[in-house]
Amino acid sequence: MLLRPTLHRGLPNANGNAPSQQSRAGVLNCELGMSKPFDIELERLTGQASYSEAFPGVDAGQRGTFFLETFGCQMNDHDSEKVASLLLSRGYRQAETPEAASLILYNTCSIREKAAQKVFSRLGEYRERQTEGKVIGVLGCVAQQEGEDIFKRAPWVSLVCGSASYSKLPEMLAQLEAGNQRVTGLDTDTDETFETEVTRRDNPWRAYLTIIEGCDKACSYCVVPFTRGPERSRASDSILREVRQLAELGYSEVQLLGQTVNSYADPTARKTRFSELLLAVADVEGIRRVRFTTSHPSDFTPDIVEAIGRELKICDHVHLPVQSGSTRVLRAMQRTYSREEYLEKIAMIRSAKRPIAITTDIIVGFPGERESEFEETLSLLDEVQYDSMFSFKYSPRPNTPSLSMSDSISEEEKGRRLAILQDKQREIQAAKNAKLVGERFEVLVSGKSRRENQWTGYTTAHRMINFASQESELLGTYVQVRVTGATPNSLVGEHVT
Ligand code: 5AD
Ligand code: SF4
């Protein structure tokens, strides 16, 4: 599944600079504190220099100004891009601070308890402030989960809208403009996907594109099926149309998104398979890299491996969350595969025509996880040799089946297991990365360091590399880099021609 509160930190900010915490990508206890205000230029998104060219007939700012802050995963990041485009096309202008905005929106995450708490603390900042004349809205997973209770906890909020209802946002905004005090969009039984005419994009080179929304799996710890609703796939022709537009706008890398992206089921008569879609996206002129995340092991089929082996533009990286190395715990998690079945998928990926990097997500301290079962997770790390891992302490969530299981492992013990797990993975990564010294990789340059002649970028396998180059302008270009050093979380290199 795809909720990666840390990965976007490795992406460049609006100025093309890589944020400071990017080097922590990899062995991570994905804790919070991360959120980002929406901040990008119009031209980068729409290809038009002025508002009037981008949105003919719409008066910029006629309806007010908005400030949008995103918490959580790439899916939320991308939803925020779409919400922003919708607001712009309706005559809202982007404000730089919440103080300057007439509409303040928080796109929220509730995957773990701390994420949800963060949203309420942010809303709490408004109690003291002057909210008169401002509309405050909560979008995303906390909105869906808490629903109208948000009005009770934070009466100054006037809009609550879950992600499955974003297509109704224009209607909801119209109601607010008409003087309605409170509006909600909380249906999840929609078969719609959220498509917008113009989609603002927060990264100048990598465009996210949601191909499947919601989730039909029922992992016992997970809120996503409740907060994002049932699985809905987007029509393949509409996806390809958007990819062509993106290529025309200058994007060379696309990342196809979905909680279970490889469960994609084309709703059109074409019935394009996920692997065929990957190949078709790679075939679009101007596209150089195709990424996809997150894959579910049960739906990971040989044709996907074959497509990656055959088409070099499809990135050699699969994010395949395992969650636990113990079959008993996997059953309790309702993960639909055993340790052995998961390892068969790994063997299938390893048998591809070219090496493919594999990364994962792991939860420690699931209710009833015995020490011996945790050790099975450790031995799985030894066996698979992941390139990177995101790890989490189990967090009981509302509505989920595992909520009724007693959360028997103490926070302290969860912390102990997490630290052991991360130490092991750090060792594995240190050894794996050290072996890459001397190799050459193609790197998409996405950041410039404050240190002179130092740049940052990603290889196709999504390895971060800091490298030296005498060139004066490399952002957004593809360069060859030779690896000269390695740390557990990143590589060091030099630009070669
Ligand atoms: N507690 C801890 N981690 C969780 N995840 C999902 N739900 C929970 C939870 N209740 C983790 C899973 C998932 C990742 C994005 O977040 O590992 O793959
Ligand atoms: Fe991923 Fe399972 Fe949650 Fe679906 S229910 S989003 S497959 S963890």
Side-chain angles (χ1 to χ4, degrees), residues 1 3 111-112 221 323 361 363 392-395 397:
M1 70 164 269
L3 285 148
I111 192 80
R112 282 168 293 277
Y221 51 81
Q323 313 298 0
D361 290 346
I363 299 175
F392 313 94
K393 291 190 263 182
Y394 169 72
S395 166
R397 305 306 297 130

Side-chain angles (χ1 to χ4, degrees), residues 109-329:
C109 169
S110 67
I111 192 80
R112 282 168 293 277
E113 199 184 348
K114 275 195 188 155
Q117 277 167 358
K118 177 106 191 164
V119 174
F120 283 102
S121 85
R122 187 65 99 245
L123 287 175
E125 289 169 18
Y126 282 90
R127 195 194 309 261
E128 265 69 58
R129 283 200 207 159
Q130 179 60 269
T131 54
E132 216 168 286
K134 287 188 196 294
V135 169
I136 300 188
V138 180
L139 309 177
C141 295
V142 175
Q144 191 67 53
Q145 187 180 292
E146 303 289 323
E148 299 194 356
D149 282 354
I150 292 179
F151 296 135
K152 288 189 209 133
R153 286 179 74 172
W156 48 94
V157 169
S158 29
L159 179 147
V160 173
C161 181
S163 66
S165 306
Y166 286 161
S167 52
K168 300 204 184 75
L169 264 178
E171 218 175 282
M172 296 170 69
L173 288 168
Q175 285 170 16
L176 286 173
E177 283 158 16
N180 239 319
Q181 296 298 306
R182 280 179 177 172
V183 290
T184 52
L186 294 167
D187 295 341
T188 49
D189 57 349
T190 165
D191 54 6
E192 284 176 58
T193 51
F194 180 40
E195 295 183 33
T196 53
E197 273 166 42
V198 186
T199 296
R200 294 195 58 143
R201 280 189 164 78
D202 200 352
N203 180 314
W205 307 288
R206 177 188 295 174
Y208 294 135
L209 210 149
T210 302
I211 64 162
I212 172 168
E213 303 202 31
C215 182
D216 276 356
K217 305 278 189 266
C219 303
S220 62
Y221 51 81
C222 185
V223 282
V224 169
F226 308 96
T227 57
R228 286 193 167 265
E231 205 175 274
R232 287 103 60 206
S233 289
R234 209 178 136 182
S236 55
D237 44 2
S238 149
I239 295 171
L240 288 169
R241 205 176 314 122
E242 190 170 343
V243 174
R244 284 191 285 271
Q245 279 170 2
L246 290 166
E248 275 163 30
L249 280 173
Y251 291 96
S252 57
E253 180 175 313
V254 286
Q255 179 158 356
L256 306 183
L257 296 179
Q259 307 292 341
T260 56
V261 72
N262 57 325
S263 313
Y264 177 77
D266 185 5
T268 71
R270 274 200 192 83
K271 300 263 171 277
T272 310
R273 300 181 75 181
F274 177 63
S275 57
E276 291 166 340
L277 185 69
L278 289 175
L279 290 165
V281 172
D283 208 31
V284 170
E285 204 184 320
I287 296 302
R288 284 182 69 157
R289 288 183 174 184
V290 185
R291 297 189 183 282
F292 56 98
T293 197
T294 292
S295 296
H296 192 286
S298 299
D299 296 333
F300 210 86
T301 45
D303 52 314
I304 305 173
V305 178
E306 218 249 300
I308 302 173
R310 178 146 62 100
E311 173 53 71
L312 297 183
K313 288 186 192 170
I314 305 176
C315 286
D316 47 347
H317 170 214
V318 174
H319 186 64
L320 203 66
V322 65
Q323 313 298 0
S324 166
S326 147
T327 297
R328 194 204 66 80
V329 174

